[in-house]
Amino acid sequence: MKRICFVLLISLFVTSCSDTNPKLEVPVTTTTTTTTTTTTKMTTTTTRTTTKASVVTKSTTTKKTTKVPAAKFLDGDAMLSLINAERERLGLSTLSIGASLTSSARVRAKEICTSFSHTRPNGKNWDTVLNKTGLTMWGENIAAGTNYTKVDLPFDAWMNSPGHYANMIKDGFNRVGIVGYYCPDGKYKYYWAQLFSS
């Protein structure tokens, strides 16, 4: 059986400087396709029973099944060192993890499993998940891919996408929340959200 692995990336950056109409930059979308092969293992059990002069042989075939793990959040803190290494290389200040941003990123990572978009499932803009008190700018990167089990692959994809890269190295950002979400019922299985703020 062949399984096609999809990778989707979307980036959006919003700036608001005390005006009520934030400026929106056009989101960048990147799609990559990878092919992998999956096989199912079969096992056969043979039981032999002897009664007086006759021999009875009974064969049964059982299919080995794999239990699908439940949905779970994936820790994105390891990605912070990758982002900060790039920011330091460029002479920029490093980012720190923001607890409120991480909480909001958890919500967004779970939401994009059902609606992969900067629009939330309730129809509102993604940034409505944030507490914007005291913020002057914010941004979001989202990614999905069947092979995005660890931080390195979504990070590499974002590094190679101009819109996502711009969010990761934005000079005015100083905090970030990064969360992955494994969603066994989702089309892409693994979903990642980065939320940035000033």
Side-chain angles (χ1 to χ4, degrees):
M1 170 173 60
K2 284 195 171 192
R3 179 180 287 169
I4 305 298
C5 300
F6 295 97
V7 178
L8 294 179
L9 303 168
I10 299 180
S11 171
L12 187 63
F13 168 68
V14 178
T15 303
S16 175
C17 298
S18 74
D19 63 1
T20 56
N21 295 323
K23 300 173 190 170
L24 298 176
E25 291 187 7
V26 179
V28 176
T29 303
T30 304
T31 304
T32 305
T33 304
T34 309
T35 304
T36 59
T37 304
T38 305
T39 59
T40 303
K41 291 184 179 180
M42 300 290 283
T43 58
T44 302
T45 306
T46 303
T47 307
R48 182 175 282 242
T49 308
T50 307
T51 43
K52 293 195 179 181
S54 62
V55 175
V56 178
T57 303
K58 197 167 65 171
S59 292
T60 58
T61 302
T62 58
K63 185 176 181 180
K64 189 174 185 179
T65 57
T66 304
K67 185 179 175 186
V68 176
K72 65 178 181 177
F73 288 100
L74 308 170
D75 187 7
D77 289 355
M79 192 182 293
L80 179 63
S81 63
L82 299 172
I83 295 169
N84 281 339
E86 179 65 9
R87 291 177 66 91
E88 286 175 341
R89 187 185 73 77
L90 298 171
L92 299 170
S93 62
T94 59
L95 300 176
S96 61
I97 294 290
S100 177
L101 286 173
T102 300
S103 177
S104 296
R106 286 175 67 91
V107 172
R108 289 295 295 137
K110 191 172 182 180
E111 286 179 346
I112 61 176
C113 171
T114 56
S115 176
F116 189 78
S117 170
H118 288 293
T119 301
R120 299 179 69 190
N122 65 9
K124 295 182 179 182
N125 196 33
W126 74 270
D127 62 355
T128 59
V129 76
L130 298 174
N131 174 1
K132 297 179 203 156
T133 305
L135 302 181
T136 56
M137 61 183 172
W138 47 90
E140 175 184 69
N141 285 346
I142 59 176
T146 57
N147 60 342
Y148 280 9
T149 59
K150 296 181 181 173
V151 298
D152 57 336
L153 291 176
F155 175 77
D156 289 344
W158 283 329
M159 284 288 289
N160 292 303
S161 170
H164 299 97
Y165 181 72
N167 271 345
M168 290 192 297
I169 63 163
K170 183 85 177 149
D171 192 26
F173 289 149
N174 56 28
R175 286 178 294 173
V176 65
I178 309 163
V179 174
Y181 183 66
Y182 172 68
C183 180
D185 297 328
K187 182 176 181 178
Y188 305 105
K189 306 296 182 210
Y190 294 92
Y191 299 83
W192 289 87
Q194 288 179 330
L195 299 183
F196 302 90
S197 75
S198 55

